[in-house]
Amino acid sequence: MTGGPEHWDRVFGARQEADLTWFEAEPEVSLRLVTAHAGPGEPVLDVGGGVSRLVDALLARGYRDLSVLDISAAALAATRDRLGNLARDVRWIEADVTRWRPHRAWALWHDRAVFHFLTERSARAAYLAAMADALRPEGHAIVATFAEDGPESCSGLPVARWSPEALADEVAALVPGGFETVGAERHEHVTPKGNVQRFQVSVFRRAGPGATPHSSTVASSRERS
Ligand SMILES: C[S@@+](CC[C@H](N)C(=O)[O-])C[C@H]1O[C@@H](n2cnc3c(N)ncnc32)[C@H](O)[C@@H]1O
């Protein structure tokens, strides 16, 4: 369980952006990996984007088919407000990723610090089914989680920590034949208070045409563009 919308709305309502432990003024690792695997003309989806500045950085680099999905309406509203007129160029999807059915295909799925909240396997299966459905063949998924020596909780919620190997095994087990691993790296995030949080960042490629079929959980989402 990742905490419901009320939990996350409360978090974003109570704290300024720079007070969030996961705040990054410059999302350097995400930006480097996103731009390496999708060009400005390609559709990019930031899952659990929250109030991340990744969308600002991608807009500034000419990306024009951007979507931000989050369970928290408050987070999406704050990001839209920050962007002002530029927000019109982004699709905003208010949804629980574990209950969301994608309505189109993206070239790139980016998740920083969402998957690790999925402590139940059924939720991870639903998330990965959505990830498989949302990506076009040979599209890329970037999944950044707390590493095996990272924090044990975040935002008052327990997390599941991952090594790149364990994460790749989980993806292979839950979406057989659906993804291949492109690479992984470690990252040390320094929180605004100066604490170090160890992350792993894995990149997966969706299988080409003819991949194993699968199904995802059907549920509702509200979208704005
Ligand atoms: C730790 S924050 C990371 C935010 C952002 N990715 C960043 O790096 O700044 C986790 C984010 O995931 C969102 N979230 C949590 N559970 C979710 C779910 N089941 N579906 C969609 N978003 C979720 C939260 O609202 C929050 O914005």
Side-chain angles (χ1 to χ4, degrees), residues 2-3 8 12 22-24 46-53 69-72 75 95-98 110-114 116-118 154-155:
T2 63
W8 289 103
F12 287 109
W22 54 89
F23 173 70
E24 292 181 301
D46 191 13
V47 174
V51 294
S52 164
R53 295 180 176 211
L69 179 150
D70 205 281
I71 200 169
S72 166
D96 175 344
V97 66
T98 66
H110 171 266
D111 161 3
R112 174 175 177 267
V114 185
H116 61 209
F117 288 109
L118 304 174
C154 177
S155 181

Side-chain angles (χ1 to χ4, degrees), residues 32-119:
R32 171 168 50 77
L33 291 173
V34 170
T35 55
H37 294 292
E42 296 186 294
V44 172
L45 171 64
D46 191 13
V47 174
V51 294
S52 164
R53 295 180 176 211
L54 179 61
V55 64
D56 312 45
L58 290 171
L59 283 166
R61 282 158 182 77
Y63 285 72
R64 283 295 173 269
D65 190 349
L66 298 174
S67 306
V68 178
L69 179 150
D70 205 281
I71 200 169
S72 166
L76 293 176
T79 308
R80 273 200 301 271
D81 287 351
R82 188 183 67 231
L83 286 171
N85 287 340
L86 290 177
R88 288 194 219 120
D89 292 335
V90 178
R91 291 178 178 81
W92 304 96
I93 307 172
E94 184 190 332
D96 175 344
V97 66
T98 66
R99 301 170 61 81
W100 174 61
R101 192 160 78 168
H103 59 285
R104 59 170 291 196
W106 282 267
L108 189 135
W109 170 288
H110 171 266
D111 161 3
R112 174 175 177 267
V114 185
F115 186 83
H116 61 209
F117 288 109
L118 304 174
T119 53

Side-chain angles (χ1 to χ4, degrees), residues 104-187:
R104 59 170 291 196
W106 282 267
L108 189 135
W109 170 288
H110 171 266
D111 161 3
R112 174 175 177 267
V114 185
F115 186 83
H116 61 209
F117 288 109
L118 304 174
T119 53
E120 289 170 23
R121 199 147 201 248
S122 58
R124 292 197 290 274
Y127 172 107
L128 290 171
M131 185 168 107
D133 282 347
L135 280 173
R136 69 187 190 197
E138 299 180 359
H140 289 85
I142 298 164
V143 183
T145 69
F146 285 158
E148 68 271 41
D149 53 354
E152 292 177 3
S153 66
C154 177
S155 181
L157 299 171
V159 301
R161 301 178 295 172
W162 296 92
S163 66
E165 296 76 19
L167 181 59
D169 286 349
E170 186 76 341
V171 171
L174 292 173
V175 192
F179 291 93
E180 66 180 285
T181 305
V182 174
E185 59 185 82
R186 281 174 65 87
H187 172 62

